[in-house]
Amino acid sequence: MFLRRKFLQTSAAGLASLFFNKKSFAAANTALPGYKSHPIIISTWDFGKVANAEAWKVINAGGNVLDAVEAGVKVPEADPKNHTVGLGGFPDRDGKVTLDACIMDGNLNCGSVAFLENIVHPISVARLVMEKTPHIMLVGEGALQFALANGFKKENLLTPASEKAWKEWLKTAKYEPVINIENQHYKKDGSQQLPGGPFNHDTIGMLAIDASGKMGGACTTSGAAWKMRGRVGDSPIIGAGLYVDGEAGAATSSGLGEEVIRTCGSHAVVELMRQGIKPLTACKKVVERIVKRNAAKAQTLQVGFLALNTKGEYGAFAIQKDFTYSVKSAAEEKVYEAESWFK
Ligand code: GLY
């Protein structure tokens, strides 16, 4: 009994010191040496454009990089028409909307939530996990309790449109988590082919450098439509859906999370950039690994990576075409189509 109590006291002290270390480390997200004030924000998909614009307001006003990426990705989280992120996200196969998100800065401070229900802004909960707890990741009921204890309100995230699409899917209930292969979601005449059709993108991942050269990133999703209950994808997994290291660069992903988790995809991209490899090539090399191990079914998979190095250079590469990404800096505001393995 004594030993157990002693252990608990020691553990509590250990956790407390971890907590305080995290806080002081968070405050020290150091600027990149020699960085020449060139803020830039990049994010997955064309819907990243409006998210970037919101993040840009923060950065342009001299704000903090994590405030910027959080504000940015909250835009699609709150958009009921976006069926792959936050409110209005397509539910799991039981009709429940479950959300995953994470946030990270260039000093490896990070927070994450997964399998979170009834909260519109999982990214803000992830930020609080980073800042207010000695932990990195909270999931499910525990994440919800933490959110409610911190003033978040419970909301129904299943919109009538998402519920309708789910009921349509239930007619066949074919469990095939094909994800954002744009061409497969349209008939030749352009009309919708699969439930989700024009909206079946997934995940916003956003990467940024602020005016002082600090790096940060955020990633948030409702995950694969009609997934098994309890399924968590890559997006809230540090190193899979997002990785940021102020000494090497930042990367995020979109697509079938299982393949990204297997390869620790975003971490792999960042490690390649650490060796001096440019963002586009780094993304391509990790996509190649995924294609190689899935040789027989690569045609049916989509994974895309987006990367930003410490100089503010960016690039993206995907398995399938039609993976787009949005860029905002003082010099440009554009949506690009990423290069892809299959043309
Ligand atoms: N990339 C999002 C997911 O697989 O959940």
Side-chain angles (χ1 to χ4, degrees):
M1 188 61 165
F2 170 77
L3 277 177
R4 186 168 177 274
R5 199 176 311 126
K6 188 86 188 147
F7 169 76
L8 288 174
Q9 282 165 357
T10 315
S11 303
L15 283 176
S17 75
L18 179 61
F19 174 55
F20 288 118
N21 286 343
K22 269 179 82 172
K23 289 286 277 188
S24 53
F25 202 38
N29 183 14
T30 42
L32 302 168
Y35 191 74
K36 300 247 188 333
S37 182
H38 174 53
I40 183 164
I41 302 162
I42 62 174
S43 52
T44 52
W45 300 111
D46 42 5
F47 59 75
K49 192 174 172 190
V50 282
N52 287 355
E54 199 60 31
W56 184 255
K57 285 185 201 161
V58 178
I59 281 190
N60 208 29
N64 169 289
V65 70
L66 285 190
D67 290 341
V69 294
E70 181 185 349
V73 303
K74 281 172 79 173
V75 174
E77 280 185 344
D79 180 359
K81 291 201 215 73
N82 186 321
H83 294 300
T84 60
V85 182
L87 174 70
F90 283 146
D92 63 18
R93 62 188 192 181
D94 294 353
K96 312 269 191 213
V97 180
T98 70
L99 305 179
D100 302 334
C102 73
I103 192 159
M104 186 167 193
D105 75 19
N107 270 344
L108 314 189
N109 299 300
C110 46
S112 161
V113 288
F115 191 45
L116 176 62
E117 293 177 74
N118 298 111
I119 300 290
V120 176
H121 291 300
I123 196 64
S124 300
V125 186
R127 174 106 185 248
L128 284 189
V129 172
M130 170 183 150
E131 291 180 344
K132 286 195 159 188
T133 82
H135 307 303
I136 287 177
M137 187 170 198
L138 293 179
V139 306
E141 192 55 35
L144 179 61
Q145 273 175 22
F146 173 74
L148 297 177
N150 281 282
F152 290 81
K153 297 278 171 274
K154 259 180 138 173
E155 287 180 53
N156 175 21
L157 304 182
L158 187 66
T159 57
S162 294
E163 188 172 12
K164 187 166 173 245
W166 169 61
K167 287 191 170 150
E168 194 59 35
W169 173 80
L170 275 182
K171 287 180 188 163
T172 52
K174 201 166 163 215
Y175 188 59
E176 259 187 0
V178 171
I179 210 161
N180 68 21
I181 298 175
E182 309 304 318
N183 294 335
Q184 295 192 12
H185 295 282
Y186 294 90
K187 289 182 180 159
K188 282 214 165 60
D189 65 3
S191 62
Q192 190 170 322
Q193 181 177 8
L194 294 176
F199 301 113
N200 204 10
H201 299 284
D202 88 301
T203 310
I204 183 156
M206 178 179 283
L207 311 172
I209 302 180
D210 69 17
S212 68
K214 291 175 189 158
M215 297 193 96
C219 187
T220 175
T221 190
S222 51
W226 339 129
K227 61 195 173 187
M228 285 177 70
R229 181 134 182 87
R231 181 264 188 191
V232 169
D234 58 320
S235 303
I237 311 283
I238 300 297
L242 176 71
Y243 198 69
V244 183
D245 182 337
E247 292 183 356
T252 190
S253 62
S254 184
L256 190 62
E258 282 73 6
E259 291 305 318
V260 180
I261 294 172
R262 259 190 254 284
T263 46
C264 300
S266 292
H267 181 260
V269 171
V270 170
E271 289 310 304
L272 290 165
M273 290 194 290
R274 194 190 302 279
Q275 295 166 24
I277 294 172
K278 295 277 187 201
L280 168 60
T281 311
C283 293
K284 186 174 178 186
K285 280 178 179 287
V286 181
V287 163
E288 274 170 3
R289 275 185 218 166
I290 295 173
V291 170
K292 200 170 153 199
R293 82 167 289 281
N294 288 287
K297 56 172 183 165
Q299 286 277 9
T300 67
L301 293 180
Q302 175 63 312
V303 170
F305 290 105
L306 177 63
L308 180 66
N309 70 14
T310 55
K311 294 182 192 149
E313 296 166 326
Y314 57 83
F317 198 87
I319 301 178
Q320 312 292 337
K321 62 191 184 72
D322 299 322
F323 173 49
T324 56
Y325 63 100
S326 303
V327 178
K328 173 71 187 141
S329 68
E332 63 173 334
E333 183 169 25
K334 276 196 188 146
V335 177
Y336 291 96
E337 189 164 317
E339 289 186 35
S340 55
W341 183 265
F342 294 108
K343 305 295 175 200

